[in-house]
Amino acid sequence: MIAFGSIALLRPWWLLALPLAAMAYYAIKTGGGGPGQWQRAVDPPLLSAMARRGLLAPGGKSDLAPALWALVILALALSGPALKRRDADRFRNLDANLILVDLAGEATDRAQLRQATTAAHLALEAGAARQTGLIVYAGDAYLAAPMTDDSAATGSLIFALDGETVPDPGVRPDLALALARRIAANAKIVAGDVTLISSGAGVNEAAVSEARALAAAGLKVHTLFTSQEGRGESGQTAGRAALAKLAASGAGVAADAGAPSPVTSAIAGRAIRRLGGSSVASLYWRDYGRYVLFAACLPLLLAFRRIAR
């Protein structure tokens, strides 16, 4: 499935028929469609009758244009052109996008906070129109923005975050992950993505267990590493390793906040892959391919009209 906003192709692999049809048409027109080929395969009286009825174009070659256009339209119809249903918001709990941001005191120097908020905004955009929630944490975890598809409001809130947003000292990513799991359970989320943006501080076995529980519930846990000034190379390496372990436990992807494309691509593509390959797609998208099939009759009717003439 390929989606472009509210427009999608449910079965895009059928478009592979288009270059194959073009190659076949070119091969027939240039290589094997001369009168000599027909004369060897068809009796002369039948060949003459075909020419009189217009089945042979001038020069002795069959006119394949109507059949080619019918094949092109047929491939487009089978590719499943679809529009998102107006009542698609009824299925908003099929997929969720939860963003968790570490706002502990040691994780909110100016450069690191800028990395975190930028990465959070990119994760928000990758979720497209999916329901998105924002959780911030330090020594405790709080729901900063409830599940909503109003990405503009959530985006404004992300850039308002600072080191004083969460007053509790400490750093407890396990509490943030546990809160994300409770929110998903209460909203009856079927599947989704949880993105933890952190320097890796505070990641312990409790956090790893929560990541496993989220993965078991259908939510993949991704991590984005934010570098911290004054932590040293060994500390940075340990933070990356902790977040990589957390993502692996949550069946997700780990990346740096400065290069988040592996995570954002996973967020953007997961809903399309899951929805496009299931029967739920027929509830979320209205397939107009069956109506396009009727258009394939038009070039064939034109061919019959030519024969009749």
Side-chain angles (χ1 to χ4, degrees):
M1 174 178 170
I2 300 176
F4 309 94
S6 60
I7 302 174
L9 292 176
L10 301 180
R11 298 171 295 275
W13 56 84
W14 278 104
L15 296 180
L16 295 175
L18 297 180
L20 295 177
M23 292 169 59
Y25 180 75
Y26 178 79
I28 293 173
K29 293 289 286 185
T30 59
Q37 300 291 334
W38 284 102
Q39 289 170 1
R40 284 194 293 269
V42 181
D43 292 335
L46 180 57
L47 185 64
S48 177
M50 290 173 62
R52 288 196 304 271
R53 293 175 62 84
L55 293 175
L56 291 178
K61 295 183 180 181
S62 58
D63 188 4
L64 298 176
L68 177 65
W69 280 111
L71 182 59
V72 169
I73 297 172
L74 181 64
L76 291 175
L78 292 174
S79 68
L83 293 177
K84 187 179 293 184
R85 293 179 182 270
R86 291 182 179 178
D87 56 353
D89 59 337
R90 295 180 183 178
F91 310 106
R92 62 185 180 273
N93 287 354
L94 289 173
D95 287 282
N97 184 28
L98 285 163
I99 302 170
L100 285 53
V101 183
D102 179 2
L103 293 179
E106 62 270 22
T108 53
D109 63 73
R110 188 171 181 178
Q112 187 173 1
L113 184 61
R114 185 169 59 250
Q115 290 180 54
T117 54
T118 301
H121 198 269
L122 291 174
L124 173 67
E125 290 181 340
R130 294 160 64 185
Q131 293 279 303
T132 300
L134 176 66
I135 294 174
V136 295
Y137 73 93
D140 203 349
Y142 300 91
L143 180 62
M147 300 294 292
T148 178
D149 56 5
D150 187 357
S151 58
T154 306
S156 299
L157 182 59
I158 286 174
F159 286 114
L161 300 176
D162 58 31
E164 298 179 357
T165 302
V166 181
D168 306 85
V171 53
R172 295 290 303 275
D174 56 313
L175 296 181
L177 292 167
L179 178 58
R181 184 161 59 89
R182 289 197 302 272
I183 291 171
N186 292 336
K188 295 180 171 54
I189 299 298
V190 175
D193 298 277
V194 176
T195 305
L196 182 81
I197 303 172
S198 166
S199 64
V203 175
N204 52 22
E205 285 304 316
V208 171
S209 297
E210 288 293 342
R212 292 195 185 102
L214 283 163
L219 289 94
K220 291 183 181 294
V221 178
H222 312 293
T223 59
L224 288 171
F225 171 77
T226 55
S227 58
Q228 187 175 345
E229 292 182 1
R231 193 176 181 186
E233 188 63 30
S234 60
Q236 308 278 20
T237 301
R240 281 193 178 91
L243 290 179
K245 179 181 178 181
L246 190 69
S249 301
V253 178
D256 279 12
S261 57
V263 170
T264 55
S265 297
I267 296 172
R270 183 170 185 249
I272 290 176
R273 289 192 299 269
R274 191 183 68 82
L275 190 61
S278 70
S279 57
V280 178
S282 62
L283 301 176
Y284 201 79
W285 301 92
R286 187 182 298 276
D287 188 351
Y288 287 94
R290 69 194 73 178
Y291 305 111
V292 179
L293 280 175
F294 290 106
C297 299
L298 295 177
L300 296 179
L301 289 174
L302 292 176
F304 280 113
R305 179 174 178 272
R306 179 181 177 185
I307 292 173
R309 187 177 61 205

